[in-house]
Amino acid sequence: MRLGSTGIWSIELRMADPYEIADAAAELDELGWGTLWIPGLGGGDILGDSQRLLRATRTAKVAIGVASMWRHQAADLAAGHARLQDAHGRRHLLGLGVSDPAAARHAGQPYRPLADMGSYLDELDRAPAPVPPAERLLAALGPRMTELAGRRTAGVHPFMVTPDYSAGAREQLGDGPLIAPYQAVVLERDPDKARTAAREFLGTFLGMDHYARSLRRQGFAEEDLANGGSDRLIDSVVAWGDVQTIGARIDAHHQAGADHVCLHVVGAGPRMPRRQWRELAPLAS
């Protein structure tokens, strides 16, 4: 499945008014964005939300980034994914994640990330309508989950990572597997305003153990994770500035080995950031 070199990752494309979502998705398709990504956000009708986007678009792919294995039965996801592929020209990509120990506890299960995800992929393989490896990917951050993704899925969709992470993932995976990092962006040239907007969104994630461990593996220290993130950390995982500066970050990921970079506009306020998406359109492909 060809995702294009860039895409849009958006909470709003799942949570806003359905009519505005359909209109915005059609515009993003016309602007040339290769893939539209929507988050799992705790469960809900993620397949129905994917279907809304697929109906509104002609060529853009639609990817879930990502569905928690604890909140969706494998058989249900497999059946729904097959229906979407049949109805919309095989434009749907199923992203999966193991979330964190709290999600497993809420499901009444112990937390064994590798074993749990391996078993879940087995269920997808055994479903009446199996999900082909090329149509699923993992929100892998650590090396062992990345290895599993390379063996049993299309590749990885990592969150809050640097171009150096993309380089390391490419070195580990070799040629072939997809590397599609999430990239937060702030269209703001003022450093203080841009970093404040970035911290307001990303600060919560820094307190989550699996993301904190990932950032430590990427070379950040404990002081970088404190108080919403140091300037060094924010500047490394968030692309802020004008369109040209954000384009340079995308290029850095691609040069490091990423195949596709999905952009999440943060700091734009409560409304759907359509103006910012239009401003970023020269980066679409």
Side-chain angles (χ1 to χ4, degrees):
M1 187 179 298
R2 296 184 181 276
L3 302 184
S5 62
T6 55
I8 291 293
W9 192 103
S10 172
I11 296 170
E12 297 85 1
L13 286 176
R14 189 169 182 210
M15 304 300 291
D17 174 80
Y19 295 102
E20 185 179 9
I21 289 172
D23 187 61
E27 181 180 12
L28 290 168
D29 193 24
E30 290 296 322
L31 289 172
W33 295 101
T35 303
L36 307 183
W37 296 76
I38 52 174
L41 289 177
D45 186 12
I46 187 67
L47 293 169
D49 296 331
S50 290
Q51 184 177 47
R52 181 186 298 117
L53 297 177
L54 289 164
R55 285 175 172 170
T57 54
R58 295 182 301 167
T59 61
K61 309 303 187 298
V62 173
I64 299 174
V66 294
S68 169
M69 59 167 287
W70 303 109
R71 297 186 174 98
H72 301 275
Q73 295 295 317
D76 295 338
L77 275 188
H81 173 76
R83 288 194 297 270
L84 293 179
Q85 295 294 64
D86 291 343
H88 299 284
R90 310 203 75 79
R91 291 190 289 126
H92 191 244
L93 182 64
L94 186 60
L96 302 166
V98 294
S99 299
D100 56 17
R105 287 195 299 270
H106 188 266
Q109 300 292 330
Y111 187 63
R112 304 166 302 176
L114 282 172
D116 293 334
M117 182 54 74
S119 296
Y120 197 86
L121 295 175
D122 290 341
E123 292 184 58
L124 294 178
D125 290 340
R126 292 193 301 262
V131 179
E135 296 176 9
R136 63 197 193 196
L137 80 170
L138 300 185
L141 290 172
R144 291 185 293 174
M145 192 66 75
T146 298
E147 189 274 335
L148 178 65
R151 282 194 294 110
R152 302 198 55 187
T153 77
V156 297
H157 172 52
F159 178 77
M160 207 158 47
V161 297
T162 67
D164 284 345
Y165 178 96
S166 292
R170 177 56 68 205
E171 182 178 0
Q172 178 180 358
L173 291 170
D175 295 335
L178 176 74
I179 299 174
Y182 161 102
Q183 177 64 66
V185 303
V186 183
L187 274 166
E188 173 59 64
R189 298 184 185 185
D190 181 275
D192 291 336
K193 292 179 180 179
R195 290 168 179 150
T196 296
R199 289 185 177 101
E200 287 176 352
F201 178 74
L202 292 178
T204 299
F205 298 101
L206 300 183
M208 297 181 181
D209 183 62
H210 55 310
Y211 292 128
R213 283 188 282 111
S214 171
L215 290 166
R216 292 187 199 103
R217 283 193 298 267
Q218 293 178 67
F220 296 101
E222 290 299 325
E223 54 266 28
D224 290 312
L225 277 62
N227 303 314
S230 67
D231 287 353
R232 182 174 84 95
L233 186 150
I234 293 298
D235 294 351
S236 297
V237 301
V238 179
W240 58 265
D242 57 17
V243 173
Q244 184 178 5
T245 302
I246 291 168
R249 179 67 60 86
I250 296 170
D251 290 343
H253 274 291
H254 284 309
Q255 291 168 12
D259 303 283
H260 174 89
V261 181
C262 44
L263 308 182
H264 178 203
V265 173
V266 301
R271 298 182 59 83
M272 191 174 288
R274 298 182 71 167
R275 178 184 63 79
Q276 289 85 352
W277 289 340
R278 292 170 188 143
E279 190 174 345
L280 291 166
L283 307 177
S285 62

